[in-house]
């Protein structure tokens, strides 16, 4: 056996067990990281899954503002919200688990992870500055999801667009307006949200009267007509409080406007408004109350 072979054998005898032991530890670290990641992601999937239309476990600690009027859309809203939050948690778990495993492997091979972590931190800051709008969109979307400011089926005014929410993601909210146009609004650009589908809504009906109308008689007729209309089965299911005849809302050169309001279920104010106009205008005409001429 030559000198080189002898040195190689001696080196392996001295360092071989350490290398094998280190390789085994690295392999074990990778396997443990993969298993932990798999188990945590499975746990997140279970927490974001709603069985039989029930609320996902992940959303139970979080506040929910889903309006009852959405009906079947509530499940879709919850599912989309849970999946979006779950995807963020999965990404977070992946980064943390594999990051710890990576540091452990560097330590195992004798490298100091501190300089690498410092460089990664500087690179992360640089990327953050370069993609600050993207980061802003994601952070805004995450907080919006956690707070449940709006969801699928809600009628919202986001400033750039007004309409019904069709989908909500971490970066983009999709809205369809009354003309059928689909708007894609970046979450980072949303400075305020007007939600017409939370808590309750108010159906407001303005009725134009002529100057010759007797306001006391008109108020009496409207009071009886609006009570009768809201007691009907088709409308009663949407009404949650007694209607009010507020009286004269404004006086213009063309005539006088009287206002009637009804507190209704969220999202049902427009349907109730249309139904009330169809009932109240004929009631005024039958009572001989003069209406504003067009």
């Amino acid at each position: 056996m030559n000198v080189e072979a002898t040195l190689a054998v001696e080196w392996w005898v001295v360092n071989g067990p350490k290398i094998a032991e280190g390789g085994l530890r690295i392999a074990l670290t990778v396997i443990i990281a993969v298993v932990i990641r798999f188990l945590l992601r499975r746990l997140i999937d279970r927490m974001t899954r709603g069985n039989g239309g029930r609320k996902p476990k992940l959303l139970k600690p979080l506040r929910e503002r889903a309006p009852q009027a959405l009906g079947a859309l509530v499940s879709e809203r919850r599912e989309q919200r849970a999946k979006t939050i779950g995807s963020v948690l999965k990404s977070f778990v992946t980064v943390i688990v594999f990051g710890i495993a990576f540091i452990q492997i560097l330590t195992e091979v004798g490298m100091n992870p501190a300089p690498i972590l410092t460089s990664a931190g500087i690179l992360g800051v640089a990327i953050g500055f370069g993609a600050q709008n993207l980061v802003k969109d994601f952070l805004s979307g995450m907080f919006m999801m956690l707070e449940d400011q709006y969801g699928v089926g809600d009628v919202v005014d986001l400033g750039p667009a007004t309409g019904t929410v069709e989908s909500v993601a971490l970066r983009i909210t999709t809205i369809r307006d009354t003309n059928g146009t689909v708007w894609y609004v970046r979450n980072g650009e949303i400075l305020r949200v007007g939600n017409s589908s939370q808590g309750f809504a108010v159906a407001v009906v303005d009725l134009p009267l002529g100057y010759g109308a007797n306001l006391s008689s008109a108020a009496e007729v409207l009071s009886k007509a609006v009570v009768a209309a809201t007691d009907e089965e088709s409308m009663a299911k949407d009404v949650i409080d007694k209607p009010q005849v507020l009286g004269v809302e404004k006086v213009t050169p063309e005539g006088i406007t009287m206002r009637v309001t009804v507190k209704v279920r969220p999202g049902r104010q427009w349907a109730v408004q249309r139904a009330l106009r169809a009932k109240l205008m004929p009631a005024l005409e039958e009572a001989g109350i003069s209406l504003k001429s067009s």
Side-chain angles (χ1 to χ4, degrees):
M1 184 178 293
N2 56 31
V3 177
E4 290 80 3
T6 303
L7 292 176
V9 171
E10 291 178 353
W11 182 89
W12 178 254
V13 170
V14 174
N15 298 293
K18 293 182 180 180
I19 294 175
E21 183 180 356
L24 182 62
R25 288 179 180 175
I26 291 174
L28 188 61
T29 299
V30 172
I31 293 173
I32 292 175
V34 171
V35 171
I36 291 176
R37 174 180 176 270
F38 173 77
L39 293 176
L40 290 176
R41 288 172 68 92
R42 284 289 300 271
L43 178 61
I44 293 172
D45 285 336
R46 290 185 61 182
M47 294 180 65
T48 56
R49 191 182 304 118
N51 296 324
R54 290 184 298 177
K55 187 176 181 180
K57 295 179 180 179
L58 181 65
L59 300 183
K60 288 183 178 179
L62 303 177
R63 184 176 181 182
E64 187 177 50
R65 298 188 176 95
Q68 296 178 352
L70 290 180
L73 283 177
V74 172
S75 296
E76 180 183 349
R77 172 195 176 107
R78 288 172 176 169
E79 181 181 355
Q80 189 175 70
R81 184 186 179 203
K83 282 185 176 180
T84 304
I85 298 176
S87 67
V88 175
L89 294 178
K90 287 181 181 179
S91 300
F92 181 75
V93 164
T94 299
V95 171
I96 295 298
V97 172
F98 284 164
I100 294 175
F102 179 68
I103 294 173
Q104 185 66 31
I105 291 172
L106 290 179
T107 305
E108 194 63 44
V109 297
M111 296 180 61
N112 184 7
I116 298 177
L117 295 177
T118 302
S119 301
I122 296 173
L123 179 62
V125 172
I127 294 175
F129 275 113
Q132 54 183 322
N133 287 334
L134 183 63
V135 173
K136 182 181 178 182
D137 292 340
F138 272 85
L139 289 177
S140 298
M142 190 62 192
F143 280 108
M144 181 273 297
M145 285 284 185
L146 292 174
E147 297 169 358
D148 196 23
Q149 296 176 10
Y150 56 83
V152 174
D154 283 356
V155 179
V156 297
D157 179 358
L158 302 182
T162 301
T164 303
V165 178
E166 290 198 338
S167 66
V168 181
L170 284 174
R171 199 177 79 86
I172 294 291
T173 294
T174 305
I175 292 178
R176 187 177 298 273
D177 64 18
T178 54
N179 296 322
T181 303
V182 177
W183 296 84
Y184 300 93
V185 184
R186 283 174 40 202
N187 294 329
E189 294 182 343
I190 301 173
L191 302 180
R192 48 81 170 160
V193 177
N195 196 325
S196 301
S197 305
Q198 290 180 356
F200 67 88
V202 178
V204 180
V205 180
D206 288 334
L207 299 156
L209 306 180
Y211 277 114
N214 186 317
L215 298 182
S216 297
S217 299
E220 184 177 352
V221 170
L222 290 176
S223 297
K224 294 179 180 179
V226 72
V227 169
T230 53
D231 284 342
E232 294 182 2
E233 184 178 355
S234 59
M235 203 181 304
K237 60 184 179 181
D238 293 324
V239 177
I240 60 178
D241 202 356
K242 295 180 179 180
Q244 292 182 318
V245 179
L246 301 184
V248 177
E249 172 63 20
K250 61 182 178 181
V251 178
T252 64
E254 291 78 22
I256 300 171
T257 300
M258 293 195 71
R259 173 163 292 182
V260 176
T261 62
V262 184
K263 186 181 288 188
V264 298
R265 292 194 301 153
R268 296 297 300 167
Q269 59 268 41
W270 299 286
V272 172
Q273 285 172 185
R274 290 190 291 269
L276 284 179
R277 288 193 190 97
K279 298 286 185 179
L280 299 183
M281 293 295 286
L284 290 173
E285 292 178 348
E286 291 176 5
I289 306 296
S290 62
L291 305 177
K292 182 177 72 174
S293 56
S294 57

